[in-house]
């Protein structure tokens, strides 16, 4: 039994996620015993982006309207340029994200994934990292941005790019295993 054998993790994504930013963390979470649900705005499948082309499709387990944040112990937001840009304007997705912060549950976001957190209004005063392209967006939203491979702030785990996945995956396992963080409340 792994560190996460009693945990259910939500992965919120749309088509256009960077392939390894979903597949590698999900693989690691499952290796640690977690149950993982892929959640999206539409049922069926979502399609990955791999550097410069469309790639694999991933089955959606639940739609955002079917999912209840109370059923999950943590939330993962993969990056990619297209995926977070769609999520950040989806009011149901933003409400889902906010619920994790309201309940103090761990949240992890990589690359462009923190864009969704900006629109969910949960980054003010939080130490974070991201792909450099959105660093100013995070700073403008009140985050304390740092150029590090992984940053943890009271259950919020952020990383920059696929190069940082080993450190990111280690930290998400650790934070999801720890569970609720009182300082996570937004």
């Amino acid at each position: 039994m792994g560190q996460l054998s009693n945990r259910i993790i939500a992965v919120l994504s749309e088509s256009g996620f960077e392939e390894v930013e979903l597949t590698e963390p999900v693989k690691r979470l499952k290796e640690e015993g977690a149950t993982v649900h892929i959640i999206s705005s539409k049922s069926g499948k979502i399609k990955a982006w791999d550097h410069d082309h469309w790639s694999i499709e991933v089955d959606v387990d639940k739609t955002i309207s079917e999912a209840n944040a109370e059923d999950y112990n943590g939330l993962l937001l993969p990056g990619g340029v297209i995926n977070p840009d769609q999520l950040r304007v989806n009011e149901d997705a933003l409400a889902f994200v906010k619920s994790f912060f309201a309940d103090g549950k761990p949240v992890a976001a990589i690359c462009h994934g923190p864009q969704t957190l900006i629109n969910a209004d949960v980054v003010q005063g939080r130490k974070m990292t991201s792909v450099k392209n959105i660093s100013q967006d995070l700073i403008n939203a009140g985050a304390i941005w740092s150029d590090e491979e992984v940053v943890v702030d009271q259950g919020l785990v952020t990383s920059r790019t696929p190069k940082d996945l080993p450190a990111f995956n280690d930290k998400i396992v650790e934070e999801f295993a720890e569970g609720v963080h009182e300082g996570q409340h937004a």
Side-chain angles (χ1 to χ4, degrees):
M1 292 211 330
Q3 296 181 65
L4 302 176
S5 59
N6 59 346
R7 300 283 195 262
I8 305 173
I9 307 301
V11 178
L12 182 59
S13 185
E14 297 287 359
S15 284
F17 62 90
E18 185 64 41
E19 181 180 328
V20 296
E21 293 174 2
L22 183 145
T23 59
E24 290 301 312
V26 165
K27 178 181 172 194
R28 179 67 186 279
L29 293 170
K30 288 180 176 180
E31 286 171 357
E32 292 291 341
T35 299
V36 178
H37 290 166
I38 306 297
I39 299 169
S40 191
S41 62
K42 297 181 181 116
S43 60
K45 295 180 183 290
I46 53 176
K47 197 167 203 166
W49 187 259
D50 186 12
H51 303 291
D52 60 359
H53 62 277
W54 291 105
S55 63
I56 65 168
E57 290 186 331
V58 175
D59 290 326
V60 172
D61 296 300
K62 290 187 177 189
T63 64
I64 296 167
S65 60
E66 295 168 333
N68 184 340
E70 292 176 11
D71 297 337
Y72 297 95
N73 303 104
L75 173 65
L76 170 65
L77 298 167
V81 176
I82 301 166
N83 162 45
D85 201 49
Q86 292 179 50
L87 288 174
R88 68 191 286 180
V89 295
N90 181 319
E91 292 301 322
D92 292 334
L94 297 177
F96 188 73
V97 169
K98 287 178 186 181
S99 295
F100 285 85
F101 283 85
D103 294 339
K105 294 177 182 177
V107 174
I110 187 168
C111 198
H112 287 80
Q115 285 181 312
T116 305
L117 302 178
I118 292 170
N119 286 41
D121 198 25
V122 294
V123 303
Q124 177 72 40
R126 302 304 293 267
K127 188 172 181 208
M128 300 176 69
T129 194
S130 67
V131 65
K132 185 99 169 151
N133 306 35
I134 67 165
S135 61
Q136 194 61 49
D137 300 331
L138 284 163
I139 292 166
N140 291 345
I144 303 157
W145 190 84
S146 180
D147 188 10
E148 300 176 56
E149 69 177 353
V150 65
V151 173
V152 180
D153 182 343
Q154 294 293 318
L156 174 60
V157 181
T158 52
S159 278
R160 300 171 299 192
T161 67
K163 293 185 313 205
D164 301 326
L165 278 167
F168 181 71
N169 289 343
D170 287 346
K171 281 297 179 187
I172 67 173
V173 168
E174 181 181 325
E175 296 302 308
F176 290 160
E178 286 177 8
V180 171
H181 292 69
E182 288 304 315
Q184 175 70 315
H185 301 286

